């Protein structure tokens, strides 16, 4: 009875995102942005970037969102050139955002009111899997949006791949993709899946997911927060526009 009373006092705690706005705490390291600064300061930021995601420019540096894993080192070392914000909507598309949205939205109409996800771990450290599992807990409750997990690729609409693709996982990943019915969408979840991250170039890996499969949407982060994953899935369904791959 005490648990029932506690639930009645607390009311509905499930987030209403993405149907209604939500936000992360101010301390959350989300989207990183470059500030107009001298080239020397930009180069200092690029030198301390652990993922090689910063490229100095004429006025401000360019940050490759697919490579950035939100460590915050650039903002700590060179705050006059780089800053962070709690923005969590980090999903990007490799093609033009508007064209990709139209393509994804047209494809998602075939899914009806429910979408089934098939997840494949191609070589992750396990952190992305924890955040992906969290979107199905009572607070995020992805099922309310008609998003479900499936154990078989033959019932899947969206393939979510975590981790850099290791050599032993290339064939299983291809077989999973080939077993999915048309139309199908591929989402790379996590910085390693998006760009290879710090594992790119290793002798034991092939590379990012895009080196094996045609990727529609990338959700960077190491790992991305559950709200970031919900945003990325909403982008994959063509409901909202994605960010550009660079900032």
């Amino acid at each position: 009875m005490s648990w029932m009373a506690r639930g009645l006092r607390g009311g509905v705690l499930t987030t209403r995102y993405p149907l209604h706005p939500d936000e992360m705490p101010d301390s959350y390291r989300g989207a990183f942005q470059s500030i107009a600064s001298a080239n020397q300061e930009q180069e200092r930021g690029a030198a301390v970037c652990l993922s090689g995601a910063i490229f100095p420019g004429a006025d401000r540096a360019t940050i490759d969102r697919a490579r950035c894993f939100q460590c915050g080192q650039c903002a700590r070392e060179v705050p006059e050139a780089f800053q962070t914000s709690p923005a969590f909507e980090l999903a990007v598309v490799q093609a033009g955002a508007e064209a990709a949205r139209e393509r994804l939205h047209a494809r998602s109409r075939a899914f009806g009111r429910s979408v089934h996800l098939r997840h494949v771990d191609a070589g992750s450290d396990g952190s992305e899997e924890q955040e992906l599992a969290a979107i199905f807990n009572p607070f995020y409750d992805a099922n309310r949006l008609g998003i479900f997990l499936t154990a078989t690729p033959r019932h899947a609409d969206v393939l979510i791949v975590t981790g850099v693709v290791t050599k032993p996982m290339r064939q299983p990943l291809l077989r999973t993709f080939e077993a999915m019915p048309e139309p199908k969408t591929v989402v790379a979840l996590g910085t390693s899946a998006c760009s290879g991250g710090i594992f790119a170039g290793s002798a034991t890996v092939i590379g990012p997911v895009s080196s094996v499969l045609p990727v529609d949407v990338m959700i960077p982060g190491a790992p991305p927060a559950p709200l970031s994953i919900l945003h990325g899935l909403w982008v994959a369904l063509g409901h909202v526009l994605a960010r550009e791959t660079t900032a």
Side-chain angles (χ1 to χ4, degrees), residues 33-37 42-43 54-63 81-82 247:
Q33 299 175 334
S34 59
I35 309 170
S37 58
Q42 298 176 30
E43 291 177 351
I54 297 176
F55 304 91
D59 178 48
R60 64 182 64 201
T62 298
I63 302 176
F82 302 95

Side-chain angles (χ1 to χ4, degrees), residues 1-13 138:
M1 293 298 294
S2 62
W3 280 102
M4 184 180 297
R6 180 179 178 181
L8 292 173
R9 287 195 303 269
V12 177
L13 300 179

Side-chain angles (χ1 to χ4, degrees), residues 62-135:
T62 298
I63 302 176
D64 186 346
R65 297 185 186 277
R67 293 188 61 85
C68 175
F69 51 78
Q70 303 158 277
C71 67
Q73 189 68 8
C74 60
R76 287 191 294 269
E77 294 289 336
V78 197
E80 59 272 23
F82 302 95
Q83 64 182 11
T84 182
S85 75
F88 60 84
E89 295 180 338
L90 305 174
V92 296
V93 291
Q94 293 182 323
E98 184 63 38
R101 178 182 182 274
E102 294 177 359
R103 171 173 51 81
L104 291 168
H105 187 64
R107 186 186 303 171
S108 69
R109 283 198 293 266
F111 300 157
R113 301 182 65 179
S114 65
V115 179
H116 288 77
L117 315 178
R118 172 59 175 158
H119 166 239
V120 172
D121 176 359
S124 78
D125 61 4
S127 59
E128 291 89 355
E129 284 73 17
Q130 294 180 31
E131 301 303 307
L132 179 61
I135 72 171

Side-chain angles (χ1 to χ4, degrees), residues 2 32 45 49-50 54 69 74 81 83 97 119 124 129 131 142 149 155 159 164 186-187 191 194 201 206 218 231 239:
S2 62
F32 282 78
C49 179
L50 301 177
I54 297 176
F69 51 78
C74 60
Q83 64 182 11
H119 166 239
S124 78
E129 284 73 17
E131 301 303 307
L149 281 173
H155 296 165
L159 174 61
V164 64
V186 178
V187 175
T191 299
C194 294
I206 295 175
M218 298 181 290
H231 172 255
H239 296 315

